[in-house]
C-alpha cells in the first residue's frame, strides 16, 4: 500500500469510519477479508504479534480460551494416530 493511501486512511471522517464498521457488522465476507488482512499485518511483525497475543489474552479472554482449547484438541488428535502400541 502506498504511503499516500495510508495517510488518506488515517484521516477518515467519523462518518466514513461508521460506514466501514457498519459494513464489517453487516457483511460477513467483507469482515472475513478485512480480518484476514489485519492478521496478515500482525503476523508479519514479531513484536506486533506478541502485542496482539497479549491483548487477546488479557482483553478477550473467551477468544483466548477457545483458541487454547482448539490447540489442545488438535495436539491430542495428532498423537492418536499410527504410533499407539497395543
Amino acid at each position: 500500500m502506498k504511503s499516500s493511501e495510508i495517510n488518506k486512511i488515517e484521516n477518515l471522517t467519523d462518518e466514513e469510519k461508521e460506514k466501514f464498521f457498519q459494513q464489517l457488522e453487516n457483511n460477513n465476507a467483507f469482515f472475513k477479508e478485512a480480518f484476514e488482512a489485519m492478521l496478515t499485518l500482525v503476523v508479519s511483525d514479531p513484536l506486533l504479534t506478541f502485542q496482539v497475543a497479549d491483548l487477546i489474552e488479557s482483553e478477550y479472554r473467551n477468544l483466548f480460551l477457545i483458541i487454547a482449547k482448539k490447540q489442545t484438541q488438535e495436539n491430542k488428535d495428532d498423537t492418536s494416530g499410527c504410533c499407539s502400541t497395543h
Side-chain angles (χ1 to χ4, degrees):
M1 185 178 278
K2 298 177 185 173
S3 90
S4 61
E5 292 175 23
I6 293 171
N7 289 337
K8 184 177 180 184
I9 290 172
E10 290 175 357
N11 297 323
L12 292 175
T13 66
D14 288 342
E15 184 178 316
E16 290 169 324
K17 290 177 189 176
E18 183 60 34
K19 285 181 184 179
F20 175 77
F21 291 125
Q22 201 64 44
Q23 280 297 316
L24 289 175
E25 287 182 29
N26 296 335
N27 185 330
N28 287 339
F30 179 67
F31 174 83
K32 183 179 178 192
E33 184 179 347
F35 193 65
E36 286 176 355
M38 287 185 291
L39 288 175
T40 299
L41 291 171
V42 167
V43 299
S44 69
D45 178 351
L47 179 59
L48 190 56
T49 301
F50 281 105
Q51 290 172 338
V52 170
D54 288 342
L55 175 69
I56 291 171
E57 183 180 14
S58 64
E59 298 294 324
Y60 301 94
R61 190 78 178 151
N62 289 341
L63 176 60
F64 175 78
L65 293 173
I66 290 169
I67 292 170
K69 183 178 179 181
K70 275 190 83 154
Q71 187 63 39
T72 302
Q73 260 180 334
E74 288 174 9
N75 287 342
K76 285 181 184 177
D77 292 345
D78 288 345
T79 60
S80 63
C82 67
C83 304
S84 62
T85 56
H86 288 214

